[in-house]
Structures are given as C-alpha cells and as structure tokens.
Amino acid sequence: MTQSNLAFKNVSSDLDIQLDPKDAKLSFVHIVVAFFAFLLGVLGGLLQGLARGGIIELPSWLTYYQILTAHGVLLALVFTTYIIFGFFFAGMSKTHGAFSDRLRKSGWIGFILTTIGTAMAATMILANEASVLYTFYAPLQAHYIFYIGLTLFIVGTWISGVSIMIHYFKWKKQHRGEPTPLFGFMATATIILWIVAGLGVAATVLGQMLPWALGMTDEINVLLSRTLFWYFGHPLVYFWIMPAYMVWYLVVPKVIGGRLFSGSLARLAFVLFLLFSIPVGFHHQLMEAGISEFWKYIQTVLTFVVVVPSLLTAFSIFATFEQTGREKGGKGVFSWLKKLPWNDVRFFAPFMGMLFFIPAGAGGLINASFQLNAVIHNTLWVVGHFHLTVGTTVVLTFLGMAFWLIPVVTGRKLTKSMNRSGMVTTWMWSIGMFLMSGAMHILGLFGAPRRTGYTTYQDAPQALEWFQGIFVSHTTVAVGGTILTAAGILMFYNFVYLAWFAPKGHTEFPMTPPPTDTPHTPAILENWKLWIGIAVVLILFAYTIPIYDMINNAPPGSPGFNNIIK
Ligand code: HAS
Ligand code: CU
C-alpha cells in the first residue's frame, strides 16, 4: 500500500458510521415539506404557462400574479431550502456522526419556525394579499403577515444552519490537525454564506418593509430596498447551487465507482464562493438609476471572479469522469464516456443538470456584461436563464439525489422500477425545459417582457409575433411547461412511493471516500476566520459607499402599491 493510501485509510474510518434514525427523521420531514411544495409549485407553473400563452383564461378569483408568486416562492424558496436542509442533516449525520440531542432539538426548532413562516407567507399569497412575486420588490406591498412569515422563515433556517455548523466545529475540535470531512466543510461554507447574505434581506424586511406594511411609515426607499434584496438575492442562487455541487463532488464520484479528482481544489472552489458571491448584487441592477457606473463596474468585475469556482468545478467533475472511465478500461479521447453508468438515475439526473449548466452559465456571463444586459434585462430571457440554472441544473441534481436520499432516511430500497421511473422523469424534465427555456430565451431577444400576464399590447404586430412561431412562441413555452408538469407529477409519485411504499431494505448513502490528496490539504483552507474576514472586507468595499449614498441622497420615497395587481 502506498503512503497516500495509508493516510487515506485513517481519514476515512469515520465514514462507516450509520445514519442515526433520529437524524434520519429530521431529514425526512424536510424532504416531505419540500415535495409537497414542489407539487403545488409545479401545478402553479402549468396554470401560469397556459394563461400567459392565452390558451386558458383564469377564473376571476385567481390572478396570474397570485399564481406567479406562489410558483416562484414554492419552488425557488421553499422546495430548495427544505431539500437542502434535508440533505445537510442526513449528510452531516453520515459523515460527522449522530447529532447530539441538543443540536438535533435546535434543528427541530429551526424546522418548526421555518415551517410556521412558510405557512404564514403561503396563506397570504393564497388570499391574494401578497402577490408581490418571489422577489417581493418594493413598492409592491404585501400584507404584514407575509413579511413576518418571511422573517420567521429566515430565522428558522439560521437556527438549523447554526446547529449544523456547531456539529461540524465540534468534530473539528475533536480531530485537531486533521482535515475536516469535505461534506461538513462545504455545508459550513454554504451556511456561512446563507447567514451573511440573510442579513441583507433581514435589514430590508424588518427595517423597511414591515414598518411600511404596518402603516408606521408612509413611504419606502425603493432603491435601498432593492439593493438590500440583491445583496441577498445573488448569494441566494449560490445557496442553491452549492449543495448541488456537493452532490457532484461528493456523491456522483461514488455512484460512478470512482473517486473525486482533488479535495483541495473542491475546498478552494467553496472558499471562493464564500468570498465572491456576496459583493456582486449590482449585476441585477445594472439598468437601475441611482447607482454610479463605478460601483456597477466594480461589482461586475467581482461577478466575473465568482465564475472561476464554477469553472474549477467543471474541470474537477470532468476530470473525475475521465479518471474513472479510464480506470474502468475506457480508451480514446472520449470513448471512456461509455464506461459511465448511464442507466443509473443517481448519476444520470445530475449529469443532465451539468449538461444544461454549460449554456446556462454562458447565459449568466451574457447577463453580467453591461451592454448585453441592456438587451435582455426584464425580458423573458432572464426567466429562461433561471429556469436553466435553478430550474434544471439544481432541480435535476436534487431530484437525482432524492432517489437515494429518501430510501436511505426511510430505510427502504431504491427498486429497479423506481430507477426506471426516475430515468423517465429526468428525460421528461430535460425535454420540457429544453423547449420552454429555449423559447423563453429567444422570445426575450425578440423583446417579450417578463413579469406580465397575457397581453397582445393592443395587437401590436411585434407582440403578436410572440404567439406565432412554431418553436419560439408562448405556445412552445406552454407545451414545454405541460411536459414539465407531467414530469413533476411523476416525480411526486416517485417521492410518495420511495417515502412510504417501497420495500423495506438497505439503500447505500453514496459518499465518495476522501480524495487521495486529503492529507496534503493546505491548512489555510480551513481557516474560517480568515475567509469570513476577507468576505466582510469585500462586502464593505463593494457596498459601503453606494449604500451610504442611497441613504443620504435618497430618491423620493414611494407609497405601497397593494391593489393594482388584484
Ligand atoms: Fe444568474 C439573473 C448572472 C449563475 C439564478 N440568475 C438570475 C436570476 C436567477 C438566477 C434566479 O449578471 C433572476 C433573478 C430575478 O428574478 O430577477 N448567473 C449569472 C452569472 C452566473 C449565474 C454570471 N444564476 C446562476 C446560478 C443560478 C442563477 C447558478 C441559480 C442556481 N444572473 C446573472 C445576471 C442576472 C441573473 C447578471 C440578472 C439579469 C437581469 O438583468 O435581470 C455564473 O455564476 C455562471 C457560471 C457558470 C458557468 C458554467 C460552468 C459549467 C459547469 C458544468 C460542467 C459540466 C460538466 C459535464 C462537468 C461558467 C460547472 C461535462 C460532461 C460532458 C460529457 C460534456
Ligand atoms: Cu446574480
């Protein structure tokens, strides 16, 4: 045995710990909420696609913007957050040992608070008192209960997040001098990002929106609230993608029978995400007046820096694939690809997510380029972009994960027929999204706006064209959306089967063994104080002067608009 293999054996011994049943239960309740939100969100998407394309007319008691808000909130915020925490609780228990009773209890408290918050916000959306879309931009104003719900949601996730972090740091303390398990390292980076980013949304919700919705203030500084929102909103998209990357780095290598290419590179990517995901929110506000071009420029440069860790990820994962394919006897430039397990949904679903992320990421670079942003901003292109990124890359990765995570936490078997059903779901999701997102991108280039219900703009010729193309019209969007809904319903069936009906038995929790370079991981990568310190400096640099300006030279405030969209 070589030296590095010996060292690797020492580090890996902790991986044999079984998942504690109490931790499995905490993970499971998160997954259950996630999939109910998923089903409702997907059904909302269908109605919206059909209504927007002029194919159906909504009844008078249901508005387009109400459904749009429910769809965005349920899928982008609720589904993602719950499945991420379900994954984190299970993965931490697997890689760092069972949670202590105290920490598990605080995990439950976090879950309950988050769920109360979700229920409050959802009730207000259903009552048409919060049709403010998932970005809840001022001056659209929601009922104050919606904002209280949002606050509880965020605070609940912080409590859960801190429980996970304490579990990680306890391990670190007990194993001084050893590199921490990659799972905990990556989960901790994601949670720190989430907490620091959440400060922005907490500031605008508690400091601006709640007093305004309660009538304590008449007007709101819209520019400031949007800026605080995007201070949170961009890291939010990394809060979604980082756990998906964790599946790619830690789960997929094991599923394909290989090993992660490099642990140090993976850690470096996550540190870079922590440093550069936050001071970049202005790339969502490039077309906005009131922010000087200098600060937009600075944040655009930082945006291009935060692309680097995604490129490192692309390299790492591709290298893992090639290494594994060749170890299994694959030859030639690309024929090793044949050695990958194409019929295994645990690999295939995340793989399709990766494939979609190539054009999705390229679209992101286009968005971040100032002049090109002027072409696509506020058009359907952006909606196409985020249905590829979060709606395909992240969702397909999480759906693929569900096929092993659910049976692991319920003590059941991933059966062959479920695997087949998962393959069908993945294909349907991919085809539906290809049609829908493709059409959205092109419609956006033709000028079709986002955030609008069905309209032909008084039969303006340009607007009528958006309804006429065979592959690029609102009809294509609706057709893609219908296929997606069918995929979503099938996925819900998969979830119900795996959660309650699959035969009892053992399912593997696929976790890659520590990469061979683990003993040589540079210690500095574990220096959290340093990284948090640099992240704070970058945030202060990118935001202090613009925010100071927004407050001191505030634009006229705006009253709330809360009934124009009813
Ligand atoms: Fe974005 C708007 C820029 C990534 C989500 N984005 C949005 C919105 C959402 C969103 C939700 O600069 C809309 C918000 C709203 O409602 O207004 N985005 C970027 C950039 C990136 C990016 C530069 N976005 C994401 C991710 C998201 C997401 C990730 C969710 C998960 N985005 C923007 C901008 C806007 C925007 C502007 C505002 C637009 C406007 O005007 O409103 C980058 O991080 C992307 C980097 C990624 C890559 C791809 C790397 C490829 C990989 C796959 C490897 C494949 C393998 C398989 C290994 C460069 C990692 C290979 C195997 C084979 C066999 C081939
Ligand atoms: Cu962004």
PDB file of all heavy atoms in Angstrom, residues 230 233-234 237-238 280 283-284, ligand 2:
ATOM      1  N   TRP A 230     -30.892  42.434  -3.361  1.00  0.00           N
ATOM      2  CA  TRP A 230     -29.923  41.753  -4.234  1.00  0.00           C
ATOM      3  C   TRP A 230     -28.611  41.424  -3.531  1.00  0.00           C
ATOM      4  O   TRP A 230     -27.887  40.525  -3.953  1.00  0.00           O
ATOM      5  CB  TRP A 230     -29.698  42.522  -5.544  1.00  0.00           C
ATOM      6  CG  TRP A 230     -30.890  42.320  -6.434  1.00  0.00           C
ATOM      7  CD1 TRP A 230     -31.760  43.277  -6.888  1.00  0.00           C
ATOM      8  CD2 TRP A 230     -31.396  41.069  -6.928  1.00  0.00           C
ATOM      9  NE1 TRP A 230     -32.762  42.697  -7.620  1.00  0.00           N
ATOM     10  CE2 TRP A 230     -32.566  41.346  -7.672  1.00  0.00           C
ATOM     11  CE3 TRP A 230     -30.985  39.741  -6.809  1.00  0.00           C
ATOM     12  CZ2 TRP A 230     -33.315  40.344  -8.285  1.00  0.00           C
ATOM     13  CZ3 TRP A 230     -31.730  38.750  -7.418  1.00  0.00           C
ATOM     14  CH2 TRP A 230     -32.878  39.052  -8.152  1.00  0.00           C
ATOM     15  N   GLY A 233     -29.992  38.364  -2.789  1.00  0.00           N
ATOM     16  CA  GLY A 233     -30.523  37.580  -3.914  1.00  0.00           C
ATOM     17  C   GLY A 233     -29.465  36.854  -4.716  1.00  0.00           C
ATOM     18  O   GLY A 233     -29.685  35.735  -5.157  1.00  0.00           O
ATOM     19  N   HIS A 234     -28.306  37.456  -4.904  1.00  0.00           N
ATOM     20  CA  HIS A 234     -27.306  36.702  -5.651  1.00  0.00           C
ATOM     21  C   HIS A 234     -26.722  35.542  -4.845  1.00  0.00           C
ATOM     22  O   HIS A 234     -26.724  34.406  -5.320  1.00  0.00           O
ATOM     23  CB  HIS A 234     -26.218  37.564  -6.288  1.00  0.00           C
ATOM     24  CG  HIS A 234     -25.357  36.691  -7.142  1.00  0.00           C
ATOM     25  ND1 HIS A 234     -25.723  36.288  -8.401  1.00  0.00           N
ATOM     26  CD2 HIS A 234     -24.222  36.025  -6.865  1.00  0.00           C
ATOM     27  CE1 HIS A 234     -24.842  35.432  -8.869  1.00  0.00           C
ATOM     28  NE2 HIS A 234     -23.914  35.261  -7.959  1.00  0.00           N
ATOM     29  N   VAL A 237     -28.725  32.450  -5.003  1.00  0.00           N
ATOM     30  CA  VAL A 237     -28.613  31.476  -6.095  1.00  0.00           C
ATOM     31  C   VAL A 237     -27.428  30.539  -5.860  1.00  0.00           C
ATOM     32  O   VAL A 237     -27.440  29.393  -6.293  1.00  0.00           O
ATOM     33  CB  VAL A 237     -28.569  32.119  -7.511  1.00  0.00           C
ATOM     34  CG1 VAL A 237     -29.629  33.179  -7.670  1.00  0.00           C
ATOM     35  CG2 VAL A 237     -27.210  32.609  -7.898  1.00  0.00           C
ATOM     36  N   TYR A 238     -26.428  31.019  -5.120  1.00  0.00           N
ATOM     37  CA  TYR A 238     -25.316  30.124  -4.768  1.00  0.00           C
ATOM     38  C   TYR A 238     -25.676  29.210  -3.613  1.00  0.00           C
ATOM     39  O   TYR A 238     -25.147  28.104  -3.507  1.00  0.00           O
ATOM     40  CB  TYR A 238     -24.032  30.931  -4.512  1.00  0.00           C
ATOM     41  CG  TYR A 238     -23.447  31.304  -5.838  1.00  0.00           C
ATOM     42  CD1 TYR A 238     -23.743  32.518  -6.432  1.00  0.00           C
ATOM     43  CD2 TYR A 238     -22.694  30.385  -6.552  1.00  0.00           C
ATOM     44  CE1 TYR A 238     -23.285  32.816  -7.695  1.00  0.00           C
ATOM     45  CE2 TYR A 238     -22.237  30.681  -7.818  1.00  0.00           C
ATOM     46  CZ  TYR A 238     -22.526  31.893  -8.383  1.00  0.00           C
ATOM     47  OH  TYR A 238     -22.084  32.168  -9.641  1.00  0.00           O
ATOM     48  N   VAL A 280     -21.701  41.213  -5.231  1.00  0.00           N
ATOM     49  CA  VAL A 280     -21.952  41.248  -6.678  1.00  0.00           C
ATOM     50  C   VAL A 280     -23.400  41.555  -7.041  1.00  0.00           C
ATOM     51  O   VAL A 280     -23.778  41.480  -8.201  1.00  0.00           O
ATOM     52  CB  VAL A 280     -21.547  39.895  -7.330  1.00  0.00           C
ATOM     53  CG1 VAL A 280     -20.071  39.604  -7.168  1.00  0.00           C
ATOM     54  CG2 VAL A 280     -22.357  38.742  -6.748  1.00  0.00           C
ATOM     55  N   HIS A 283     -25.156  43.273 -10.263  1.00  0.00           N
ATOM     56  CA  HIS A 283     -25.363  42.762 -11.624  1.00  0.00           C
ATOM     57  C   HIS A 283     -26.844  42.484 -11.896  1.00  0.00           C
ATOM     58  O   HIS A 283     -27.214  42.207 -13.026  1.00  0.00           O
ATOM     59  CB  HIS A 283     -24.441  41.579 -11.966  1.00  0.00           C
ATOM     60  CG  HIS A 283     -24.716  40.311 -11.237  1.00  0.00           C
ATOM     61  ND1 HIS A 283     -23.737  39.610 -10.583  1.00  0.00           N
ATOM     62  CD2 HIS A 283     -25.844  39.585 -11.064  1.00  0.00           C
ATOM     63  CE1 HIS A 283     -24.268  38.526 -10.036  1.00  0.00           C
ATOM     64  NE2 HIS A 283     -25.545  38.486 -10.324  1.00  0.00           N
ATOM     65  N   HIS A 284     -27.672  42.577 -10.857  1.00  0.00           N
ATOM     66  CA  HIS A 284     -29.128  42.512 -11.077  1.00  0.00           C
ATOM     67  C   HIS A 284     -29.710  43.913 -11.217  1.00  0.00           C
ATOM     68  O   HIS A 284     -30.906  44.060 -11.432  1.00  0.00           O
ATOM     69  CB  HIS A 284     -29.818  41.799  -9.918  1.00  0.00           C
ATOM     70  CG  HIS A 284     -29.430  40.347  -9.825  1.00  0.00           C
ATOM     71  ND1 HIS A 284     -30.171  39.349 -10.392  1.00  0.00           N
ATOM     72  CD2 HIS A 284     -28.353  39.739  -9.266  1.00  0.00           C
ATOM     73  CE1 HIS A 284     -29.588  38.182 -10.170  1.00  0.00           C
ATOM     74  NE2 HIS A 284     -28.469  38.394  -9.492  1.00  0.00           N
TER      75      HIS A 284
HETATM   76 CU    CU B   2     -26.861  37.132  -9.640  1.00  0.00          CU
END
